[in-house]
Amino acid sequence: SPHPHKTMTATTTATHQRHEDGEGSVQVHQDNKLNIEEGALVIAVYGKGGIGKSTTSSNLSAAFSHLGKRVLQIGCDPKHDSTFTLTKRMVPTVIDTLEEVDFHSEELEASDFVYTGYNGVMCVESGGPPAGTGCGGYVTGQTVKLLKEHHLLEDTDVVIFDVLGDVVCGGFAAPLQHAHYCLIVTANDFDSIFAMNRIVQAIKAKAKNYRVRLGGVVANRSQDTDQIDRFNARAGLRTLAHFKAVDAIRRSRLKKCTIFEMESSPDVLQVQQEYLNLARCLLESVQPLEAKPLKDREIFDLLGYD
């Protein structure tokens, strides 16, 4: 099928009878009425904190838009910096906007929390509760609920969740309850790959009860990929895109723009093409992976040099 995500069926949501997603855990489960429409390809981007998830998400959103797709990017981090290269500013968050109307969502217009960015990409920052006071899963649920109430998901082709770094709570995994595919952003080093393995564990748990599957790995800020390749071969993963430590990518963040707005050069054109290739792959040919996470000691013994 040219759109494999459209053939994937959503599984049932939480009931008292169903098995929990993780051993000994308390999970945040979505309301069954909050499923995102089947027509949209929904991607969740995960990875170690600071690995470049927002850069990857924003440039991937831009690439989808260049392919003629209607794109919505949802930043799921309290620091709400996922979309600033698309919008050229730090936009107000959903939670801050809801607080202003005492959480009476019916008083809001779509323009109060959705901002149009580069090439028509719709941008939303969910925000989050103050540190130590709440759950990111609740915030994700409120954001999706608000988007559905305003019918903003009905005419969207691609939805990208850009998720905060490597934490372990159930709320961290809440976007996986909506996604078709998870992309894991990693560098060619032990810490990034260790975090990737934890994310594989989370996806394996969520896949028991939700449609989400592993799409693949994005190698970022890495000249070589030997350690990533070694882990992928053992765990059953694949690399879908490779972005080296190109200075134009770093400078694009400082200029508050996407790589597609940078002055043309061989490096910039190569990165642009890699993002376009990744977007096409996700639309047309990506296949779900059944990866097997490694034990911590296995990763320690696997990676490194002889």
Side-chain angles (χ1 to χ4, degrees), residues 58 61-62 65-66 69 71-73 82-89 91 113-124 256-258 261:
S58 296
S61 289
S65 76
H66 277 279
K69 301 303 178 183
V71 187
L72 169 65
Q73 182 169 319
S82 172
T83 61
F84 79 81
T85 59
L86 293 163
T87 62
K88 311 297 183 281
R89 64 190 181 109
V91 302
F113 57 92
V114 180
Y115 300 86
T116 302
Y118 170 75
N119 208 31
V121 175
M122 293 185 293
C123 301
V124 175
K256 303 177 179 64
C257 70
T258 70
E261 300 164 87

Short mmCIF file of all heavy atoms in Angstrom, two decimals, residues 58 61-62 65-66 69 71-73 82-89 91 113-124 256-258 261:
data_model
loop_
_atom_site.label_atom_id
_atom_site.label_comp_id
_atom_site.label_asym_id
_atom_site.label_seq_id
_atom_site.Cartn_x
_atom_site.Cartn_y
_atom_site.Cartn_z
N SER A 58 11.02 19.90 13.14
CA SER A 58 10.68 21.10 12.38
C SER A 58 11.10 21.00 10.92
O SER A 58 10.35 21.38 10.02
CB SER A 58 11.32 22.33 13.03
OG SER A 58 10.81 22.54 14.33
N SER A 61 8.78 18.56 9.27
CA SER A 61 7.51 19.23 8.97
C SER A 61 7.63 20.08 7.71
O SER A 61 6.75 20.07 6.84
CB SER A 61 7.09 20.12 10.15
OG SER A 61 6.68 19.34 11.25
N ALA A 62 8.73 20.83 7.62
CA ALA A 62 8.95 21.66 6.43
C ALA A 62 9.05 20.80 5.18
O ALA A 62 8.50 21.15 4.12
CB ALA A 62 10.22 22.49 6.62
N SER A 65 5.71 19.68 4.08
CA SER A 65 4.98 20.80 3.47
C SER A 65 5.44 21.03 2.03
O SER A 65 4.64 21.38 1.15
CB SER A 65 5.14 22.08 4.30
OG SER A 65 6.42 22.67 4.12
N HIS A 66 6.73 20.81 1.75
CA HIS A 66 7.25 20.95 0.40
C HIS A 66 6.74 19.84 -0.53
O HIS A 66 6.77 20.01 -1.75
CB HIS A 66 8.77 20.96 0.41
CG HIS A 66 9.35 22.31 0.71
ND1 HIS A 66 9.48 23.30 -0.23
CD2 HIS A 66 9.82 22.84 1.88
CE1 HIS A 66 10.01 24.39 0.33
NE2 HIS A 66 10.22 24.13 1.61
N LYS A 69 1.92 18.47 1.60
CA LYS A 69 1.10 17.94 2.69
C LYS A 69 0.73 19.04 3.69
O LYS A 69 1.49 19.98 3.91
CB LYS A 69 1.84 16.81 3.41
CG LYS A 69 2.22 15.65 2.51
CD LYS A 69 1.01 15.05 1.82
CE LYS A 69 1.38 13.91 0.89
NZ LYS A 69 0.20 13.38 0.17
N VAL A 71 0.43 19.98 7.34
CA VAL A 71 1.21 19.46 8.46
C VAL A 71 0.85 20.20 9.75
O VAL A 71 0.68 21.43 9.77
CB VAL A 71 2.72 19.61 8.20
CG1 VAL A 71 3.53 18.92 9.29
CG2 VAL A 71 3.09 19.06 6.83
N LEU A 72 0.75 19.44 10.83
CA LEU A 72 0.57 19.99 12.18
C LEU A 72 1.69 19.45 13.05
O LEU A 72 1.87 18.23 13.16
CB LEU A 72 -0.78 19.57 12.75
CG LEU A 72 -1.02 19.84 14.24
CD1 LEU A 72 -1.04 21.34 14.53
CD2 LEU A 72 -2.32 19.19 14.70
N GLN A 73 2.47 20.34 13.66
CA GLN A 73 3.52 19.93 14.60
C GLN A 73 3.11 20.32 16.01
O GLN A 73 2.74 21.46 16.27
CB GLN A 73 4.86 20.58 14.25
CG GLN A 73 5.99 20.14 15.19
CD GLN A 73 7.35 20.56 14.69
OE1 GLN A 73 7.64 20.48 13.50
NE2 GLN A 73 8.22 21.01 15.59
N SER A 82 9.78 23.77 20.48
CA SER A 82 9.77 22.86 19.35
C SER A 82 9.60 23.57 18.02
O SER A 82 10.22 23.21 17.02
CB SER A 82 8.64 21.82 19.51
OG SER A 82 8.48 21.05 18.34
N THR A 83 8.75 24.60 17.98
CA THR A 83 8.32 25.17 16.71
C THR A 83 8.90 26.55 16.40
O THR A 83 8.49 27.18 15.43
CB THR A 83 6.78 25.27 16.68
OG1 THR A 83 6.34 26.12 17.75
CG2 THR A 83 6.13 23.90 16.83
N PHE A 84 9.86 27.03 17.17
CA PHE A 84 10.27 28.42 16.99
C PHE A 84 11.00 28.66 15.66
O PHE A 84 11.01 29.77 15.14
CB PHE A 84 11.08 28.95 18.18
CG PHE A 84 12.53 28.55 18.21
CD1 PHE A 84 13.49 29.21 17.45
CD2 PHE A 84 12.95 27.51 19.03
CE1 PHE A 84 14.82 28.85 17.50
CE2 PHE A 84 14.28 27.14 19.07
CZ PHE A 84 15.23 27.81 18.30
N THR A 85 11.61 27.61 15.09
CA THR A 85 12.23 27.81 13.77
C THR A 85 11.17 27.88 12.67
O THR A 85 11.45 28.36 11.57
CB THR A 85 13.23 26.69 13.44
OG1 THR A 85 12.57 25.43 13.46
CG2 THR A 85 14.38 26.69 14.43
N LEU A 86 9.97 27.40 12.94
CA LEU A 86 8.87 27.48 11.99
C LEU A 86 8.11 28.79 12.13
O LEU A 86 7.69 29.40 11.14
CB LEU A 86 7.90 26.30 12.18
CG LEU A 86 8.46 24.92 11.84
CD1 LEU A 86 7.59 23.83 12.46
CD2 LEU A 86 8.55 24.73 10.33
N THR A 87 7.92 29.25 13.39
CA THR A 87 7.10 30.45 13.64
C THR A 87 7.93 31.70 13.86
O THR A 87 7.39 32.80 13.90
CB THR A 87 6.23 30.23 14.89
OG1 THR A 87 7.09 30.02 16.02
CG2 THR A 87 5.31 29.04 14.71
N LYS A 88 9.24 31.54 14.08
CA LYS A 88 10.17 32.65 14.34
C LYS A 88 9.95 33.29 15.72
O LYS A 88 10.41 34.39 15.97
CB LYS A 88 10.07 33.74 13.26
CG LYS A 88 10.12 33.22 11.82
CD LYS A 88 11.45 32.55 11.52
CE LYS A 88 11.54 32.08 10.08
NZ LYS A 88 10.83 30.82 9.80
N ARG A 89 9.24 32.58 16.60
CA ARG A 89 9.05 33.09 17.96
C ARG A 89 8.63 31.95 18.88
O ARG A 89 8.30 30.86 18.42
CB ARG A 89 7.99 34.19 18.00
CG ARG A 89 6.58 33.75 17.63
CD ARG A 89 5.67 34.95 17.46
NE ARG A 89 4.31 34.60 17.12
CZ ARG A 89 3.26 34.70 17.93
NH1 ARG A 89 3.43 35.13 19.17
NH2 ARG A 89 2.05 34.38 17.52
N VAL A 91 5.86 30.64 20.82
CA VAL A 91 4.41 30.88 20.85
C VAL A 91 3.84 30.48 22.21
O VAL A 91 4.39 29.63 22.91
CB VAL A 91 3.71 30.10 19.72
CG1 VAL A 91 4.26 30.52 18.36
CG2 VAL A 91 3.82 28.60 19.91
N PHE A 113 -4.39 29.27 19.98
CA PHE A 113 -3.37 28.30 20.34
C PHE A 113 -2.71 27.61 19.14
O PHE A 113 -1.76 26.85 19.32
CB PHE A 113 -3.95 27.23 21.28
CG PHE A 113 -5.14 26.50 20.72
CD1 PHE A 113 -4.98 25.32 20.02
CD2 PHE A 113 -6.42 27.00 20.90
CE1 PHE A 113 -6.07 24.65 19.50
CE2 PHE A 113 -7.52 26.34 20.38
CZ PHE A 113 -7.35 25.16 19.67
N VAL A 114 -3.18 27.86 17.93
CA VAL A 114 -2.57 27.31 16.73
C VAL A 114 -1.95 28.45 15.93
O VAL A 114 -2.63 29.45 15.66
CB VAL A 114 -3.58 26.54 15.86
CG1 VAL A 114 -2.89 25.99 14.60
CG2 VAL A 114 -4.21 25.41 16.63
N TYR A 115 -0.69 28.30 15.54
CA TYR A 115 0.03 29.38 14.86
C TYR A 115 0.58 28.84 13.53
O TYR A 115 1.13 27.75 13.48
CB TYR A 115 1.16 29.90 15.75
CG TYR A 115 0.64 30.45 17.05
CD1 TYR A 115 0.42 29.61 18.14
CD2 TYR A 115 0.31 31.79 17.17
CE1 TYR A 115 -0.10 30.10 19.32
CE2 TYR A 115 -0.21 32.30 18.36
CZ TYR A 115 -0.42 31.44 19.42
OH TYR A 115 -0.95 31.93 20.59
N THR A 116 0.41 29.62 12.49
CA THR A 116 0.88 29.21 11.17
C THR A 116 2.36 29.56 11.02
O THR A 116 2.76 30.70 11.23
CB THR A 116 0.08 29.90 10.06
OG1 THR A 116 -1.31 29.56 10.22
CG2 THR A 116 0.54 29.40 8.69
N GLY A 117 3.15 28.55 10.67
CA GLY A 117 4.58 28.74 10.52
C GLY A 117 5.02 28.61 9.08
O GLY A 117 4.23 28.77 8.14
N TYR A 118 6.28 28.31 8.91
CA TYR A 118 6.91 28.24 7.59
C TYR A 118 6.10 27.36 6.63
O TYR A 118 5.72 26.24 6.96
CB TYR A 118 8.33 27.70 7.74
CG TYR A 118 8.99 27.35 6.43
CD1 TYR A 118 9.48 28.36 5.59
CD2 TYR A 118 9.11 26.03 6.02
CE1 TYR A 118 10.08 28.04 4.38
CE2 TYR A 118 9.71 25.70 4.81
CZ TYR A 118 10.19 26.71 4.00
OH TYR A 118 10.77 26.39 2.80
N ASN A 119 5.85 27.89 5.44
CA ASN A 119 5.19 27.16 4.36
C ASN A 119 3.84 26.55 4.77
O ASN A 119 3.45 25.50 4.28
CB ASN A 119 6.11 26.06 3.80
CG ASN A 119 5.83 25.76 2.34
OD1 ASN A 119 5.41 26.62 1.57
ND2 ASN A 119 6.05 24.52 1.94
N GLY A 120 3.17 27.22 5.71
CA GLY A 120 1.84 26.80 6.10
C GLY A 120 1.76 25.74 7.18
O GLY A 120 0.66 25.27 7.52
N VAL A 121 2.91 25.32 7.74
CA VAL A 121 2.88 24.32 8.81
C VAL A 121 2.15 24.89 10.02
O VAL A 121 2.46 25.98 10.49
CB VAL A 121 4.31 23.90 9.21
CG1 VAL A 121 4.27 22.94 10.40
CG2 VAL A 121 5.02 23.24 8.03
N MET A 122 1.15 24.16 10.51
CA MET A 122 0.44 24.56 11.73
C MET A 122 1.25 24.13 12.95
O MET A 122 1.74 23.00 13.01
CB MET A 122 -0.95 23.93 11.77
CG MET A 122 -1.90 24.44 10.70
SD MET A 122 -3.58 23.76 10.90
CE MET A 122 -3.28 22.03 10.54
N CYS A 123 1.37 25.04 13.92
CA CYS A 123 2.24 24.81 15.07
C CYS A 123 1.48 24.96 16.37
O CYS A 123 0.76 25.95 16.56
CB CYS A 123 3.41 25.80 15.04
SG CYS A 123 4.44 25.70 13.54
N VAL A 124 1.67 24.00 17.26
CA VAL A 124 1.05 24.03 18.58
C VAL A 124 2.11 23.64 19.60
O VAL A 124 2.86 22.68 19.40
CB VAL A 124 -0.14 23.04 18.67
CG1 VAL A 124 -0.69 22.99 20.09
CG2 VAL A 124 -1.23 23.41 17.69
N LYS A 256 16.84 31.14 13.71
CA LYS A 256 15.41 30.89 13.95
C LYS A 256 14.67 30.58 12.65
O LYS A 256 13.62 31.14 12.36
CB LYS A 256 14.76 32.06 14.70
CG LYS A 256 15.43 32.38 16.03
CD LYS A 256 14.81 33.59 16.70
CE LYS A 256 15.47 33.87 18.04
NZ LYS A 256 16.89 34.22 17.91
N CYS A 257 15.25 29.65 11.88
CA CYS A 257 14.62 29.26 10.63
C CYS A 257 14.90 27.79 10.35
O CYS A 257 15.75 27.17 10.99
CB CYS A 257 15.11 30.13 9.48
SG CYS A 257 16.83 29.87 8.99
N THR A 258 14.18 27.24 9.39
CA THR A 258 14.41 25.86 8.97
C THR A 258 15.59 25.80 8.01
O THR A 258 16.03 26.82 7.47
CB THR A 258 13.17 25.27 8.29
OG1 THR A 258 12.99 25.92 7.02
CG2 THR A 258 11.92 25.48 9.14
N GLU A 261 15.27 27.39 4.57
CA GLU A 261 15.36 28.85 4.41
C GLU A 261 16.79 29.35 4.41
O GLU A 261 17.03 30.54 4.26
CB GLU A 261 14.57 29.53 5.52
CG GLU A 261 13.10 29.17 5.54
CD GLU A 261 12.43 29.55 6.85
OE1 GLU A 261 11.97 30.70 6.97
OE2 GLU A 261 12.38 28.68 7.75
#
